[in-house]
Amino acid sequence: EVQLVESGGGLVKPGGSLRLSCAVSGFTFINYNMNWVRQAPGKGLEWVSAISTGGGDRYYAESVKGRFIISRDNVKNSLYLQMNSLRVEDTAVYYCARGGGDPAPEEDFDYWGQGTLVTVSS
Amino acid sequence: DIQMTQSPSTLSASVGDRVTITCRASQSVSSWLAWYQQRPGRAPNLLIYKASSLETGVPSRFSGSASGTEFTLTISSLQPDDFATYYCQQYNSYPYTFGQGTKLDLK
């Protein structure tokens, strides 16, 4: 059974940092691109960042570029999001989601975690 | 960036109705378009990928179609479980972008 489990969310002050993790099981992690998607309270979905299978290619939404860093550990089957210089508008539920890979090359997000809430407030 | 415009924002319907949600891309995304369903407090769930391919396990009352940069999600006969919010997403190019969502509620 495919499982993605996020952790690391919490309350942080503006300007602070937080590191999210996503532990993956049930598929060959190294074979898939991975993504972070967020959802502010009562709002829609916003794609945040993506990383390729080997970690060599990373992509970011303009809203987080220069502040967030996506990474992965293919030995620990884990995805990470280092969030720095946090702003009130970064408050959201953060989901990790599986992208394309082998044997499912489509880049749609076919598996999602349950999400972890990040609240940025003074 | 590619903008995805969904309509309507809210749709009121009854069990058994046929409903259609539209998503328009600001430029070509080829067929790299997905539809997701999200229930309150839950993660999104993939329904349709590559514009018209039904994800495994998704009921056949859901279907997707495309014409140029306009995409539609159709639910042929609404069931009680279908009252939720629906999002389209393009994955043709980064940054991947979502539509603003369509909330389907009970009339």
Side-chain angles (χ1 to χ4, degrees):
Chain A
E1 180 193 5
V2 171
Q3 286 196 326
L4 294 82
V5 180
E6 301 94 340
S7 60
L11 175 63
V12 62
K13 288 182 167 50
S17 298
L18 213 52
R19 189 196 197 207
L20 305 184
S21 299
C22 172
V24 159
S25 60
F27 66 94
T28 305
F29 181 65
I30 196 172
N31 285 358
Y32 286 86
N33 301 327
M34 295 296 296
N35 297 268
W36 288 99
V37 177
R38 69 184 180 182
Q39 186 169 37
K43 303 297 185 183
L45 300 170
E46 179 188 15
W47 173 83
V48 172
S49 184
I51 188 167
S52 60
T53 54
D57 294 314
R58 309 180 190 201
Y59 305 90
Y60 298 94
E62 199 61 39
S63 58
V64 308
K65 202 174 290 185
R67 300 187 299 122
F68 289 12
I69 300 171
I70 191 172
S71 63
R72 63 190 294 162
D73 185 328
N74 288 336
V75 173
K76 293 183 177 179
N77 287 348
S78 292
L79 175 71
Y80 305 101
L81 187 68
Q82 177 67 43
M83 303 187 296
N84 301 321
S85 302
L86 281 161
R87 305 168 179 168
V88 170
E89 55 265 34
D90 294 319
T91 295
V93 173
Y94 285 74
Y95 297 99
C96 59
R98 190 177 85 166
D102 180 14
E106 301 289 337
E107 280 292 332
D108 53 80
F109 300 169
D110 58 352
Y111 288 98
W112 297 63
Q114 84 289 350
T116 187
L117 176 62
V118 172
T119 303
V120 185
S121 175
S122 53
Chain B
D1 298 1
I2 298 175
Q3 309 302 317
M4 306 301 294
T5 305
Q6 263 184 259
S7 60
S9 297
T10 307
L11 181 56
S12 297
S14 302
V15 173
D17 284 354
R18 178 185 178 90
V19 299
T20 297
I21 298 169
T22 298
C23 182
R24 182 172 284 109
S26 61
Q27 63 191 75
S28 174
V29 298
S30 187
S31 294
W32 306 121
L33 189 286
W35 289 97
Y36 301 88
Q37 176 194 66
Q38 187 180 33
R39 297 191 177 96
R42 304 288 298 275
N45 182 49
L46 177 66
L47 301 174
I48 301 286
Y49 64 95
K50 211 160 74 174
S52 60
S53 297
L54 191 67
E55 175 70 352
T56 303
V58 174
S60 59
R61 63 181 180 273
F62 292 92
S63 63
S65 64
S67 177
T69 58
E70 186 166 297
F71 301 86
T72 58
L73 172 70
T74 300
I75 310 172
S76 60
S77 178
L78 275 174
Q79 299 302 300
D81 265 356
D82 300 339
F83 293 96
T85 300
Y86 294 84
Y87 296 93
C88 63
Q89 179 215 12
Q90 68 81 19
Y91 50 96
N92 178 74
S93 62
Y94 290 109
Y96 292 164
T97 43
F98 290 89
Q100 79 276 20
T102 295
K103 185 176 181 181
L104 180 54
D105 62 24
L106 188 59
K107 187 185 290 183

